[in-house]
Amino acid sequence: MRIDDAARASRWRGVTPVAKAGFALAGLLAAFLAPTPALALAVAALLLAVAVLGGGVPLALYARVVAPALGFLALSGLTLAVAVDLVDGWPRVHFVPEALPQAARVITRALAALAALLGLVLTTPLPDLLALLRRLRVPAVLLDLMVLGYRMPFVL
């Protein structure tokens, strides 16, 4: 429930969710359009700074929230940089150096997209997000699934 607590304590608690969602959408677009890993990292750093300095999200909390996703990204990056071949009927896993630029681009874009979404959820309480999505006419079943997915890790 640290995410909810951070969202309720955010300096941007009173800012309309439409503005924060628009900013997050712009961050997602910037992450997607970043042509180089360095630029995607710069977008991620900027979005992190905005959430921490502007939104008042504690850096330690941000780090705790982002840590599992960073582990997932690291593991995903490894899988993008290896290949499995069959040699004499046996699988052989080997490193593919030619895949590193593409893996770096994918991982840094994903990191920037993660920073955009974390900025939104760490500054906007879930009820405000749900109200925004209802106004956007998102089907109720998707909202129910969203709430279920959001709450399940806290239950576990």
Side-chain angles (χ1 to χ4, degrees):
M1 299 310 251
R2 292 181 187 141
I3 294 173
D4 276 337
D5 294 340
R8 292 189 192 290
S10 170
R11 274 187 223 133
W12 291 345
R13 174 70 170 97
V15 175
T16 177
V18 174
K20 292 184 276 189
F23 184 76
L25 189 59
L28 284 171
L29 187 62
F32 178 73
L33 294 176
T36 64
L39 192 54
L41 282 176
V43 169
L46 175 67
L47 292 167
L48 165 71
V50 167
V52 171
L53 300 175
V57 176
L59 185 58
L61 171 66
Y62 194 99
R64 280 194 305 272
V65 171
V66 80
L70 290 179
F72 177 78
L73 281 176
L75 184 60
S76 299
L78 285 176
T79 63
L80 291 172
V82 298
V84 179
D85 295 329
L86 285 178
V87 177
D88 297 327
W90 292 93
R92 182 184 71 126
V93 178
H94 60 96
F95 177 67
V96 182
E98 301 85 35
L100 280 179
Q102 180 69 17
R105 199 166 33 253
V106 169
I107 290 168
T108 54
R109 283 179 174 174
L111 183 62
L114 174 66
L117 293 177
L118 280 178
L120 177 64
V121 299
L122 289 172
T123 59
T124 311
L126 185 62
D128 294 351
L129 286 174
L130 291 173
L132 172 63
L133 293 172
R134 278 191 194 96
R135 282 191 301 184
L136 294 173
R137 301 197 191 283
V138 173
V141 68
L142 291 179
L143 296 177
D144 290 342
L145 288 172
M146 183 180 119
V147 171
L148 181 65
Y150 182 81
R151 297 288 186 204
M152 190 55 65
F154 301 117
V155 172
L156 294 176

